[in-house]
Amino acid sequence: MRVLVTGAGGTLGRAVLPRLRTDGFTVRAMSRRPRHDPAADWVVADLDTGAGLVEAVAGMDAVLHLASRPGGGTRTHRVDVLGTRRLALAAGYAGVAHLLYVSIVGVDRVPIPYYRHKEAAEQVVAAGPVPWTVLRATQFPVFLDRLLRAAGRIGPVPGDPAVLAQPVDQHEVAARLADRLATGPLTGVEEYGGPQVLRFDEAVRAWRAARRSRGPLLPVRLPGRLGRELRAGGLTTTAVPTGRRTWTDYLVDTYGGPGRR
């Protein structure tokens, strides 16, 4: 099967490319800027303008759509919503048999501007001319790690202790996507999360121990509907199967395991 992967240079894309090749797919990787990688067939295309999309989808059996522009502003709308429509139309004209779009668990529940655009992109895919699947994944551990490092630069880590998260390893999501491509279009939405739901304070304690950090958690209760949804598990899923690698597994691999204060 010949598969075009958009957003192939991102966190998930870097996990997806080797997985697809290992599973026997013929992979074409897409990015906005030229890349030189002898292990992959890279093409240049831009969802924002549509430049190069026709050439990128030509001859493909499936499109795995990972590309996104986080933020939630006008640029996100142009890339995630209008760009996804351009991609879907180009794929339809090219006779692509499956458009697999990667979204985020909670886009239909958590009132974050970026999530509204992701949900709109899901609707574009579902209404488009290509048989489709949407896979919503929970947050990657590396993203949670970056969030905590950024939040803790001045010492204490601010956050709502009761917010729930369900980190899922990006390599396990890549494996799930490969299985989805092999199975074919679902014509529906599938959710995929990590093996463990954690409170924010639990995640922070484990992170601090692994990094041998003394910076405490600074409790800040998120207000309004956003806080209610996050505390109620808006970023988590009860779907099965789940990944196997836990937040602790990530911390051990990244920092060498919990330290002693």
Side-chain angles (χ1 to χ4, degrees):
M1 182 186 297
R2 297 161 297 181
V3 181
L4 172 70
V5 180
T6 75
T11 299
L12 181 55
R14 293 192 298 272
V16 160
L17 294 185
R19 178 68 195 215
L20 293 184
R21 290 195 294 264
T22 297
D23 286 2
F25 294 91
T26 300
V27 181
R28 177 181 293 168
M30 184 182 116
S31 62
R32 289 189 299 117
R33 297 182 181 85
R35 290 177 179 260
H36 302 285
D37 180 359
D41 173 23
W42 284 89
V43 296
V44 176
D46 192 341
L47 291 167
D48 194 349
T49 65
L53 287 181
V54 171
E55 295 80 4
V57 299
M60 295 292 102
D61 301 305
V63 173
L64 176 54
H65 185 20
L66 312 180
S68 185
R69 177 76 179 188
T74 302
R75 182 71 187 276
T76 298
H77 179 74
R78 292 205 311 262
V79 172
D80 284 63
V81 183
L82 301 183
T84 295
R85 182 175 291 118
R86 294 186 188 99
L87 177 68
L89 290 175
Y93 289 135
V96 171
H98 187 187
L99 174 54
L100 174 49
Y101 177 62
V102 178
S103 188
I104 306 169
V105 167
V107 293
D108 55 340
R109 290 173 283 170
V110 178
I112 297 174
Y114 175 48
Y115 281 20
R116 290 200 295 269
H117 293 289
K118 294 294 286 186
E119 186 179 18
E122 291 182 1
Q123 295 166 357
V124 167
V125 169
V130 180
W132 60 279
T133 302
V134 170
L135 188 139
R136 294 175 180 168
T138 55
Q139 304 296 318
F140 299 149
V142 65
F143 290 164
L144 179 55
D145 187 10
R146 290 173 189 165
L147 171 66
L148 294 177
R149 281 191 278 123
R153 283 175 182 166
I154 60 173
V157 177
D160 189 326
V163 164
L164 299 177
Q166 190 178 359
V168 64
D169 185 87
Q170 67 265 26
H171 295 91
E172 293 184 321
V173 175
R176 188 67 183 171
L177 291 169
D179 290 344
R180 246 309 131 218
L181 287 168
T183 301
L186 177 66
T187 315
V189 177
E190 177 181 286
E191 294 191 343
Y192 190 75
Q196 184 180 27
V197 175
L198 294 170
R199 281 173 51 110
F200 186 74
D201 54 356
E202 295 173 327
V204 171
R205 280 197 297 270
W207 179 80
R208 286 175 52 222
R211 288 170 52 90
R212 297 162 176 82
S213 169
R214 295 182 179 273
L217 173 65
L218 178 63
V220 179
R221 185 176 175 84
L222 289 173
R225 182 187 165 201
L226 175 61
R228 291 194 300 272
E229 292 289 348
L230 294 178
R231 288 188 293 272
L235 297 179
T236 69
T237 179
T238 58
V240 292
T242 67
R244 296 182 179 181
R245 288 182 53 77
T246 66
W247 175 234
T248 298
D249 292 331
Y250 169 83
L251 294 174
V252 169
D253 288 346
T254 305
Y255 298 111
R260 294 182 180 178
R261 294 188 59 178

